[in-house]
């Protein structure tokens, strides 16, 4: 059997000089194309190749992968191999896939596209994050774009396209410190009077807001709510509705049961009796759900009628999602166990629960109790001192 040499050297005449090249065999026994040694003598070329062999670099590494090449087909249901595998293990919501694909096309590929994927460092990623911030994106939006890149680089590392994952050293940005001033009890009383017709144009939109305030359900969950999900003492939250994807799994993928009062069930029963097991809040006979635009439009009018205009709503962050902040805060103020609060809201982390908590220290009655006890003790001491 013929012995295969580690490498063979041969001269190649260029325009003005002769440079020695070498060839060798890859790990599979296939002869690779010639690579320049940069040397002009055979002896120097042999020494060069022996040094490469000693360092384990005789066999050239594969051609560097450019990011835009790696990114081809990503987050496309029909072509993305990562999604094909991920959807069998821990599926991503279709809306999340859409967000990832948008971030990849608009913010990630234009910045990293021409770079070698192996050359992307934590420092380069940080410069990109700073650019996004300077372009006006808030922290929450930047975190979503970072999550997209993190998924891709983690997969690149798994495929051994990069020696280390630069995203491992990049932490999420803190939540935006946008102040949300939740509704006060007297404002809530005005919004939900004994006769809903005083404030609201429709029973459905009135009840949507009341349900959001009492349960902290997301608007997509309320729109997707069906009669069969409502029970006398609780609501089983198991789906949400999207105009694009229709009925779809919850954001967190985990269903939850939320207790409701007898009075709220009675109000919901009006719609259950009308629409049966179909969509509770419907545009057409329980078959087609109510549109978000109608909810937004009529809710704004109701707020106007209790004296909270658009400027005040914007200042205080009073959008429909505000009700999740409202209930989360109310439950914590009532000293409901944090784990129980999370079971109601569907939050998974303590940081998210804190993010949705908006305490007004003026409402801390327990502080007044302590102060009154201190005053009582102080007064007793003063009396004893005066007597003695």
């Amino acid at each position: 059997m013929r012995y295969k040499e580690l490498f063979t050297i041969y001269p190649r005449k260029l325009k003005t000089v002769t440079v020695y090249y070498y060839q060798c065999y890859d790990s599979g026994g296939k002869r690779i194309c010639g690579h320049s040694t940069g040397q002009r003598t055979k002896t120097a070329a042999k020494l060069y190749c022996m040094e490469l062999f000693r360092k384990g670099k005789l066999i050239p590494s594969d051609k560097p992968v450019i990011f835009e090449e790696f990114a081809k087909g990503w987050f496309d249901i029909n072509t993305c191999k990562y999604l094909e595998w991920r959807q069998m293990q821990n599926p991503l919501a279709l809306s999340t896939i859409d967000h990832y694909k948008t971030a990849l096309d608009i913010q990630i590929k234009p910045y990293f596209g021409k770079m070698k994927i192996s050359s992307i460092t934590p420092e380069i990623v940080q410069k990109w994050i700073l650019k996004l911030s300077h372009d006006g994106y808030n922290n929450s939006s930047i975190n979503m774009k970072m999550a997209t890149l993190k998924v891709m680089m983690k997969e690149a590392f798994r495929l051994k396209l990069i020696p280390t994952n630069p995203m491992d050293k990049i932490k999420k940005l803190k939540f935006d410190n946008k102040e949300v001033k939740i509704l006060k009890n007297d404002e809530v009383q005005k919004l939900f009077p004994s006769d809903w017709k005083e404030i609201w144009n429709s029973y459905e939109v009135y009840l949507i807001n009341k349900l959001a305030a009492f349960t902290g359900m997301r608007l997509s969950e309320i729109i997707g709510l069906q009669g069969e999900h409502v029970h006398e003492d609780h609501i089983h939250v198991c789906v949400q509705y999207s105009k694009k994807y229709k009925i779809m799994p919850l954001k967190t993928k985990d269903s939850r049961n939320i207790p409701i009062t007898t009075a709220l069930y009675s109000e919901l029963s009006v719609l259950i009796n009308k629409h049966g097991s179909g969509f509770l809040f419907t545009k057409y006979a329980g078959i087609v759900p109510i549109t978000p635009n109608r909810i937004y439009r009529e809710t704004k009018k109701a707020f106007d009628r209790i004296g909270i205009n658009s400027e005040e709503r914007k200042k205080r962050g009073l959008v429909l999602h505000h009700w999740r902040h409202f209930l989360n805060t109310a439950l914590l103020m009532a000293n409901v166990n944090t784990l129980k609060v999370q079971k109601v809201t569907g939050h998974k982390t303590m940081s998210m629960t804190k993010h949705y908590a908006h305490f007004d220290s003026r409402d801390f009655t327990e502080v007044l109790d302590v102060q009154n006890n201190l005053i009582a003790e102080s007064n007793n001491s003063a009396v004893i001192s005066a007597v003695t």
Side-chain angles (χ1 to χ4, degrees):
M1 184 176 71
R2 185 179 176 184
Y3 171 72
K4 289 183 179 180
E5 296 179 339
L6 290 175
F7 55 85
T8 57
I9 293 174
Y10 61 94
R12 177 176 291 181
K13 189 172 183 179
L14 304 180
K15 285 184 178 181
T16 57
V17 297
T18 296
V19 175
Y20 280 83
Y21 279 64
Y22 79 92
Q23 285 184 306
C24 62
Y25 296 90
D26 63 20
S27 57
K30 182 179 179 182
R31 192 173 182 85
I32 65 173
C33 60
H35 285 74
S36 173
T37 66
Q39 307 300 318
R40 298 186 184 183
T41 68
K42 189 173 184 178
T43 299
K46 283 184 177 180
L47 291 174
Y48 175 83
C49 290
M50 290 303 295
E51 182 65 14
L52 287 181
F53 176 73
R54 186 181 70 80
K55 292 180 178 179
K57 295 182 178 181
L58 183 63
I59 301 174
S61 59
D62 294 334
K63 182 181 177 182
V65 178
I66 304 302
F67 185 86
E68 65 182 3
E69 295 174 355
F70 173 68
K72 286 181 180 178
W74 266 85
F75 302 118
D76 184 322
I77 296 293
N78 299 315
T79 61
C80 185
K81 293 296 182 183
Y82 168 79
L83 279 184
E84 183 179 355
W85 176 251
R86 174 67 185 266
Q87 299 308 83
M88 294 171 62
Q89 303 294 315
N90 183 23
L92 290 172
L94 295 176
S95 56
T96 300
I97 295 173
D98 275 352
H99 285 308
Y100 281 176
K101 192 173 190 310
T102 299
L104 175 61
D105 291 341
I106 298 177
Q107 285 88 24
I108 298 177
K109 279 200 291 191
Y111 192 89
F112 297 99
K114 302 301 180 182
M115 297 183 189
K116 297 175 184 176
I117 192 170
S118 58
S119 70
I120 299 174
T121 63
E123 291 74 24
I124 290 175
V125 175
Q126 287 173 348
K127 288 180 181 179
W128 170 65
I129 293 170
L130 286 172
K131 182 181 183 302
L132 292 176
S133 180
H134 294 158
D135 289 344
Y137 292 100
N138 61 36
N139 287 4
S140 297
S141 179
I142 294 174
N143 280 336
M144 173 58 81
K145 303 175 200 324
M146 285 167 53
T148 307
L149 184 59
K150 187 171 185 177
V151 164
M152 298 181 72
M153 297 306 282
K154 184 177 181 180
E155 182 66 0
F157 177 71
R158 187 186 72 82
L159 295 173
K160 299 181 179 180
L161 299 178
I162 51 178
T164 59
N165 183 354
M167 296 303 292
D168 283 345
K169 296 183 179 181
I170 304 296
K171 295 182 179 180
K172 274 187 176 183
L173 303 183
K174 64 180 181 180
F175 284 114
D176 300 307
N177 293 322
K178 183 177 180 181
E179 187 176 9
V180 176
K181 294 185 178 179
I182 61 176
L183 290 173
K184 297 291 185 182
N185 288 338
D186 61 325
E187 293 172 323
V188 176
Q189 294 295 330
K190 290 178 182 177
L191 204 56
F192 302 125
S194 56
D195 184 0
W196 62 267
K197 295 178 183 177
E198 294 178 13
I199 302 296
W200 300 88
N201 288 342
S202 74
Y203 184 73
E204 287 82 1
V205 179
Y206 149 77
L207 201 48
I208 284 172
N209 277 269
K210 192 169 185 178
L211 185 60
F214 278 44
T215 66
M217 291 172 65
R218 298 177 178 89
L219 182 59
S220 59
E221 295 169 345
I222 293 177
I223 292 177
L225 187 63
Q226 298 172 41
E228 61 184 350
H229 302 149
V230 181
H231 306 274
E232 290 187 11
D233 59 349
H234 73 278
I235 291 176
H236 182 56
V237 184
C238 54
V239 296
Q240 61 178 332
Y241 185 88
S242 159
K243 182 179 179 181
K244 183 176 181 179
Y245 298 112
K246 310 307 179 186
I247 291 292
M248 54 189 292
L250 298 176
K251 183 177 181 180
T252 60
K253 304 181 186 69
D254 295 332
S255 62
R256 62 190 191 277
N257 294 317
I258 304 178
I260 57 174
T261 65
T262 301
L264 181 58
Y265 175 73
S266 296
E267 291 185 289
L268 293 171
S269 294
V270 174
L271 298 180
I272 296 173
N273 293 334
K274 187 176 180 181
H275 305 303
S277 60
F279 289 112
L280 207 60
F281 304 100
T282 180
K283 180 180 178 181
Y284 177 72
I287 301 173
V288 180
I290 191 171
T291 62
N293 284 340
R294 179 187 164 192
I295 301 170
Y296 297 143
R297 186 171 59 251
E298 294 189 18
T299 299
K300 288 176 182 178
K301 290 179 181 178
F303 273 92
D304 285 336
R305 286 174 185 147
I306 66 168
I308 302 179
N309 59 29
S310 59
E311 184 178 347
E312 179 70 8
R313 292 196 295 273
K314 184 176 181 180
K315 181 180 177 181
R316 294 173 59 180
L318 297 177
V319 294
L320 271 163
H321 197 71
H322 147 272
W323 289 121
R324 282 179 63 74
H325 295 260
F326 172 81
L327 182 72
N328 185 80
T329 304
L331 293 175
L332 292 174
M333 282 290 291
N335 293 318
V336 176
N337 180 279
T338 304
L339 291 177
K340 292 181 179 179
V341 174
Q342 291 179 336
K343 283 293 185 180
V344 170
T345 62
H347 290 149
K348 294 290 187 179
T349 64
M350 182 61 71
S351 61
M352 188 61 71
T353 299
K354 289 180 179 178
H355 177 64
Y356 276 73
H358 307 280
F359 299 126
D360 186 338
S361 56
R362 291 171 294 183
D363 296 329
F364 293 170
T365 56
E366 61 270 31
V367 175
L368 295 177
D369 294 337
V370 171
Q371 291 172 342
N372 285 328
N373 288 333
L374 290 174
I375 292 172
E377 291 176 6
S378 176
N379 287 341
N380 288 336
S381 297
V383 170
I384 293 173
S385 177
V387 171
T388 57

